[in-house]
Amino acid sequence: MESHQAKSCLVIDDSQVVRKVARRIAEQAGFRCFEADNGVEAFEMCERAMPDAIVLDWNMPSMSGLEFLERLRGMKNGKHPKVILCSAENDSFHVERAIKAGADEYVMKPFDSEILMSKFVQIGMG
């Protein structure tokens, strides 16, 4: 019997619809998925168990995706997860800020299965 642990993916978005879509795509890519609807909850989940990948919304209440990302990268083992930051903003200023804060990839909302799958491949998780 194979004892292969599936890769884990944490989907963080304040929209339940977006979480459901991203989760379905991540599960198709072979991830075990967890969801958080805000950065504070997600941060606590990462303290308990660091995921392999994170699909992160930029605009959220209580803690923005960027704030979450900066805090994550400062945590013990916080450099481990590959992070795909999602935003409705697609100008170079936002992309540069995301990459500077520690995002591995950046995806424009709304995204579809093909786009997110290609991002998982680009970060070596597809």
Side-chain angles (χ1 to χ4, degrees):
M1 225 165 100
E2 200 174 330
S3 65
H4 178 71
Q5 268 290 77
K7 298 170 295 207
S8 59
C9 180
L10 177 57
V11 178
I12 311 165
D13 199 300
D14 55 327
S15 161
Q16 188 181 355
V17 173
V18 174
R19 285 199 314 272
K20 203 173 283 182
V21 169
R23 179 186 192 127
R24 195 170 60 238
I25 297 166
E27 285 174 344
Q28 287 171 344
F31 288 99
R32 265 181 318 123
C33 285
F34 306 93
E35 296 178 26
D37 65 8
N38 64 68
V40 176
E41 181 190 356
F43 193 76
E44 289 167 2
M45 290 171 80
C46 289
E47 285 181 319
R48 286 195 296 274
M50 196 61 77
D52 297 305
I54 296 175
V55 177
L56 175 63
D57 182 28
W58 185 304
N59 292 309
M60 293 183 294
S62 74
M63 185 191 294
S64 74
L66 217 54
E67 288 173 90
F68 169 82
L69 185 54
E70 287 167 346
R71 285 184 65 183
L72 171 79
R73 293 308 193 204
M75 288 173 77
K76 180 183 185 299
N77 208 14
K79 301 262 188 281
H80 168 72
K82 296 287 187 186
V83 178
I84 300 172
L85 193 64
C86 309
S87 176
E89 311 293 335
N90 201 20
D91 54 85
S92 59
F93 173 74
H94 281 85
V95 176
E96 282 170 30
R97 277 189 66 197
I99 302 302
K100 211 172 265 168
D104 296 284
E105 270 300 331
Y106 187 91
V107 70
M108 179 77 181
K109 280 179 155 183
F111 52 80
D112 61 19
S113 175
E114 202 176 313
I115 293 167
L116 197 54
M117 281 292 211
S118 74
K119 295 296 181 182
F120 282 132
V121 169
Q122 286 171 2
I123 62 172
M125 294 270 176

